[in-house]
Amino acid sequence: MAIVKSIATNNITNLDKYILDGEAHNKALTNARNLYVSAHNLRKDYGGFYNSMYIASQNYAVRKQADKLHKKTQGYHLIMSFSDTDFPLPKNDQELNRQAKQAFKLVNDWMKQEFPDDSQYLIGIQRDGKGKKLHAHVALNSVRLNGRVIDTNQLSINHKITLGRTHNKVREKIKSKGLAERTQDYMADNFKKVTGRDYQRVPFNQSDLIKSNEKQISLRGSKSWKDELKDELVELTSKSTSLDDFVANAKSVYGIDITKHRASVGVDDNGKKKYREAFTYVFKDSTGQSHKTRDFRYTKKGAVRGLGTDYTPQSLQHIIEFQNQQQKQVQSEKLDEINNILDSTPNVINNNTKEVDNNGKKQIQFKPREPELKSNVKRVKQVKIDKSSAEEVDTSEYDKHTAELQQRNQQEADRRNAEISRKLQDDERKRKKHKRLQRSNNQEAQRHHQGRELLTGPDFASFNRTADDLEQSNKAKQHDDGYQR
């Protein structure tokens, strides 16, 4: 089974050098860096070799002629790796060279199928990796000979969902195969023809379509950096008394930099842009890697990105206020309970009793013990929140705000979907108008052409000749009549 990868490069010269120059990485099977080298729309040097600098200069000339030297992506690095089932370890050099030619045949025909004929690319077949697997490196220029760029949709590994016109000319979502799946289809059809062996397809895995490393980590059962960040932010809300305190604690306790900025949330009824306060988080995970993310945002298709709506300044403010309200109410209830216990406790003799003289008789005066409110307050602060008491707290205001926020998010998503639908309808109307105008121009040109044929055709010419003969005949007749007189 063949695995294909696609990597954009900003320096195709270094890519050409990596493929062609240097020694083999692993010399267990061969001392050669490349077993087979060839190129398409690229010339060899005067010595009949593929020279990395000469090839890079040809790629540069094409980009310069197309006025695309400013283009950041100079090329693409395609890697196709075959398994030991596809090409087993060779027994001798003859078998190794035969496998290299077969691999080149497969890769070269695959490139011709996937990319236009005026593309520039270099192919190197190698077997010098650590795993000793046969593989191919392809350096593809980002600009074609005609000056156009390579379609990046062709280089998308996984399938794509695009908007296109179907048979009934209605624009709707269309699923197209990615480069990986198209490669599997090509190998299934051509591998046996070239090598004589059956091809084993790579099994399709839905999780492969998820490019996000954070989602891939979550699927493997580990905690992603986003989960780490969310856990720390939730813990900070219980330790903060205000939003400013929350931002300060995030920096001092966990080293999280929180920046406040404005984020657009659409337009109002008058078409004026509306904004909200937003947070941007800069965070280092447990491995020391730095990450940056917004609280949340909407994509053009209405999907939510970032941490989520619970981590906006507005949501965090309400969470902190709600938790402070809970703590105050619980503390008040506990304090009332302690005071009730103290009120029901009988007076006891303290160390400050004194003797008083009443008519010469000694009596002991008892002083009631005053409750030590100061120490009691300290004990209240150390009491954990009782769930039964917390459930009695009125959360209607917080629930109301959450519902309003969700409603606004849904309205914004509906507005974006409606805007996309209107744009598609406008495109369809423009297309029909252009088609009607083109049809009208064609009809006018056809009428004009037919009119010219009538004026220059053989019938009109014979008509002119007949009229000239008749005029000359009349003049001759008049001359004869005058002569006879």
Side-chain angles (χ1 to χ4, degrees):
M1 51 186 177
I3 305 296
V4 62
K5 295 181 181 179
S6 174
I7 307 170
T9 177
N10 299 334
N11 193 330
I12 197 171
T13 302
N14 288 343
L15 177 58
D16 294 332
K17 290 181 179 179
Y18 173 78
I19 296 175
L20 294 176
D21 301 341
E23 298 182 354
H25 297 162
N26 185 356
K27 299 182 180 180
L29 294 177
T30 176
N31 293 330
R33 172 63 173 153
N34 290 281
L35 300 174
Y36 198 97
V37 178
S38 186
H40 184 69
N41 290 327
L42 291 168
R43 296 185 298 274
K44 297 179 181 179
D45 61 9
Y46 63 91
F49 300 99
Y50 285 109
N51 184 286
S52 60
M53 295 305 298
Y54 187 48
I55 289 178
S57 65
Q58 296 177 62
N59 292 330
Y60 176 85
V62 171
R63 293 196 304 276
K64 183 177 181 180
Q65 185 176 4
D67 194 20
K68 289 185 170 59
L69 292 179
H70 62 280
K71 185 175 172 59
K72 183 177 180 180
T73 301
Q74 296 184 2
Y76 301 94
H77 185 189
L78 305 178
I79 306 172
M80 183 179 292
S81 179
F82 298 94
S83 66
D84 293 335
T85 305
D86 299 330
F87 290 98
L89 288 175
K91 299 178 180 178
N92 47 51
D93 292 342
Q94 290 77 11
E95 185 177 356
L96 179 63
N97 293 330
R98 183 172 63 253
Q99 289 180 353
K101 292 180 181 179
Q102 292 174 350
F104 170 77
K105 170 69 175 174
L106 290 169
V107 175
N108 190 42
D109 292 348
W110 170 72
M111 289 292 296
K112 290 181 179 179
Q113 173 182 291
E114 292 293 330
F115 300 98
D117 187 60
D118 58 354
S119 302
Q120 280 185 314
Y121 53 84
L122 169 72
I123 301 176
I125 306 298
Q126 303 174 359
R127 196 157 193 169
D128 62 343
K130 185 177 180 180
K132 303 178 184 179
K133 290 181 173 55
L134 192 67
H135 59 278
H137 290 281
V138 181
L140 174 65
N141 195 8
S142 62
V143 182
R144 295 155 51 186
L145 296 181
N146 63 359
R148 297 183 178 181
V149 298
I150 295 293
D151 185 5
T152 54
N153 290 326
Q154 291 292 106
L155 296 162
S156 178
I157 296 297
N158 301 319
H159 74 247
K160 296 179 69 67
I161 302 296
T162 57
L163 290 174
R165 293 185 176 89
T166 57
H167 60 281
N168 54 358
K169 297 182 180 180
V170 178
R171 298 194 74 178
E172 57 184 35
K173 292 181 179 180
I174 299 176
K175 177 181 176 181
S176 58
K177 292 183 178 180
L179 186 63
E181 194 171 356
R182 297 198 306 270
T183 302
Q184 297 303 311
D185 293 340
Y186 169 79
M187 290 296 171
D189 295 336
N190 298 277
F191 188 83
K192 189 171 184 179
K193 298 177 183 178
V194 176
T195 65
R197 297 185 297 276
D198 293 330
Y199 180 72
Q200 182 180 357
R201 292 180 67 100
V202 176
F204 177 78
N205 187 359
Q206 182 69 23
S207 63
D208 292 340
L209 301 180
I210 302 175
K211 296 182 179 180
S212 171
N213 292 333
E214 182 262 332
K215 290 185 178 180
Q216 290 281 11
I217 292 172
S218 299
L219 288 175
R220 292 194 294 268
S222 302
K223 180 177 287 189
S224 65
W225 66 268
K226 280 190 178 180
D227 292 333
E228 291 184 25
L229 178 57
K230 289 179 181 179
D231 291 344
E232 294 178 359
L233 294 178
V234 169
E235 185 177 354
L236 284 171
T237 57
S238 62
K239 298 179 180 180
S240 305
T241 57
S242 65
L243 193 61
D244 292 337
D245 190 27
F246 172 82
V247 174
N249 291 338
K251 177 64 176 177
S252 60
V253 179
Y254 293 111
I256 302 172
D257 290 322
I258 302 178
T259 306
K260 185 182 292 187
H261 60 91
R262 290 200 312 168
S264 175
V265 292
V267 295
D268 56 16
D269 297 335
N270 298 325
K272 188 177 180 180
K273 276 191 174 184
K274 297 188 299 183
Y275 295 92
R276 69 171 179 88
E277 287 187 346
F279 274 163
T280 297
Y281 300 92
V282 178
F283 164 77
K284 284 188 178 181
D285 59 17
S286 55
T287 63
Q289 186 174 359
S290 181
H291 304 278
K292 184 177 181 180
T293 181
R294 298 182 183 179
D295 47 11
F296 90 98
R297 67 178 180 86
Y298 286 109
T299 64
K300 292 183 179 180
K301 296 183 179 180
V304 177
R305 295 290 183 267
L307 295 180
T309 55
D310 291 337
Y311 300 91
T312 62
Q314 298 83 359
S315 297
L316 291 170
Q317 177 71 34
H318 283 276
I319 292 173
I320 293 172
E321 291 178 354
F322 174 69
Q323 291 185 352
N324 289 339
Q325 183 183 1
Q326 276 187 323
Q327 292 178 0
K328 289 180 181 180
Q329 185 164 350
V330 171
Q331 288 179 0
S332 177
E333 292 176 354
K334 292 298 183 181
L335 185 59
D336 291 340
E337 181 181 352
I338 292 174
N339 291 333
N340 291 333
I341 295 174
L342 292 174
D343 291 340
S344 61
T345 303
N347 294 333
V348 295
I349 300 176
N350 60 15
N351 296 327
N352 296 324
T353 58
K354 63 179 181 179
E355 297 179 355
V356 297
D357 186 9
N358 187 9
N359 297 327
K361 295 182 179 180
K362 291 184 179 181
Q363 293 182 350
I364 296 177
Q365 182 180 4
F366 295 95
K367 295 175 63 177
R369 188 183 67 181
E370 296 293 337
E372 297 178 2
L373 296 180
K374 195 170 183 180
S375 61
N376 291 336
V377 173
K378 289 184 178 179
R379 288 197 296 270
V380 170
K381 288 185 177 180
Q382 297 175 357
V383 175
K384 293 184 178 179
I385 297 176
D386 188 2
K387 293 184 178 179
S388 61
S389 300
E391 292 176 355
E392 298 174 0
V393 178
D394 183 16
T395 62
S396 58
E397 289 296 329
Y398 178 74
D399 295 339
K400 180 180 178 181
H401 174 75
T402 303
E404 291 177 354
L405 183 61
Q406 292 177 350
Q407 184 180 4
R408 288 200 301 269
N409 293 342
Q410 183 62 38
Q411 290 175 353
E412 178 65 15
D414 295 340
R415 186 192 68 77
R416 289 177 179 272
N417 292 333
E419 185 177 336
I420 293 173
S421 178
R422 286 196 301 271
K423 188 177 184 308
L424 295 178
Q425 292 176 0
D426 292 342
D427 293 344
E428 183 66 20
R429 283 196 296 269
K430 290 180 182 179
R431 187 191 65 81
K432 290 182 179 180
K433 182 179 179 181
H434 177 73
K435 193 172 182 179
R436 288 196 301 269
L437 181 62
Q438 188 177 12
R439 189 187 305 114
S440 176
N441 293 337
N442 292 338
Q443 292 175 355
E444 182 67 23
Q446 187 175 5
R447 288 195 297 268
H448 180 69
H449 182 69
Q450 291 176 352
R452 292 188 62 184
E453 287 183 349
L454 290 175
L455 293 175
T456 59
D459 295 337
F460 184 78
S462 62
F463 172 78
N464 290 336
R465 286 195 301 271
T466 304
D468 293 340
D469 295 342
L470 182 61
E471 184 179 359
Q472 291 177 3
S473 177
N474 291 335
K475 289 181 179 180
K477 185 177 181 180
Q478 291 176 1
H479 178 74
D480 293 342
D481 292 342
Y483 181 76
Q484 291 176 0
R485 291 192 191 101

